[in-house]
Amino acid sequence: MKTEPGAMQPEPIGPVGYHATVTVRWSDMDAFAHINHARMVTLLEEARIEWLLSEGEANESLIKSALIANVTIAYKKPLRHSDGPLDVTLWFEKVRAVDFTIGYEVRAAGAAPDSPPAVVATTRMAMVDVGAETLRRIAPEEKAYLARWTR
C-alpha cells in the first residue's frame, strides 16, 4: 500500500487506534430505547469503512477483497439515541496469514477515552481472491499497513 510522498497519514489515537464518530439514527433503537443489536453491527461497519477509506486508494485491496468471517459483540452497558454520536476506536488485534481481526471500543459521545467502553467487539476479516473465490494470503504491503494499527 503505497502512499504518495507528502500525503497526510491518519494518526493513531491512544496507544494504537483509529477514532471514528458514528451518528445514531432514531431507527437504530429497539423497543427498549437501546441501540438494536443488528443496528450495532451496522454502526461498527460504518466506523470500519470510514477507517479503511481514510487513506483513499491505499487500502483498496483491504476494502475490495476482505470478507467478514465472524463478528462478536459484548454489551457492557446500554447505549441510547441520546448517547450519539458514538465514539468508536478501532485497531487490528490479530493478523494471520489469510485473515485479520479488528477490535472495537464504543463509547457515548463525550465519554473520556480511558473510560470503560459501553460495547467491545471484534470482526474477523478473511482475504479472498474474488475472481477465484478462494482465500488468499495477505500481501506484504497490506501487512505493513495492518502493523501500523496493531495493538
Side-chain angles (χ1 to χ4, degrees), residues 21-24 35 79-87 107-110:
T21 302
V22 181
T23 301
V24 178
I35 295 176
L79 288 169
R80 296 174 166 73
H81 188 269
S82 59
D83 291 321
L86 301 178
D87 292 320
R107 293 175 177 81

Side-chain angles (χ1 to χ4, degrees), residues 26-145:
W26 188 253
S27 61
D28 294 336
M29 300 300 103
D30 63 17
F32 301 105
H34 304 136
I35 295 176
N36 174 280
H37 174 72
R39 300 304 296 165
M40 181 57 72
V41 172
T42 300
L43 295 170
L44 295 174
E45 176 186 36
E46 290 174 13
R48 182 175 67 248
I49 289 169
E50 176 187 318
W51 179 25
L52 293 176
L53 291 175
S54 69
E55 291 192 32
E57 293 181 17
N59 290 327
E60 187 172 352
S61 65
L62 291 176
I63 295 165
K64 291 185 175 181
S65 63
L67 299 178
I68 294 175
N70 182 282
V71 176
T72 62
I73 302 176
Y75 298 93
K76 305 300 183 179
K77 67 179 197 175
L79 288 169
R80 296 174 166 73
H81 188 269
S82 59
D83 291 321
L86 301 178
D87 292 320
V88 184
T89 303
L90 306 92
W91 66 93
F92 296 112
E93 278 189 2
K94 187 185 311 180
V95 178
R96 301 186 320 168
V98 298
D99 64 16
F100 56 90
T101 302
I102 300 171
Y104 306 82
E105 292 179 346
V106 183
R107 293 175 177 81
D114 60 347
S115 66
V119 174
V120 292
T122 61
T123 302
R124 187 166 54 94
M125 308 289 290
M127 297 301 290
V128 298
D129 177 325
V130 178
E133 296 182 357
T134 60
L135 291 174
R136 71 164 178 83
R137 292 194 167 279
I138 297 172
E141 60 272 10
E142 293 167 334
K143 278 192 176 188
Y145 175 78

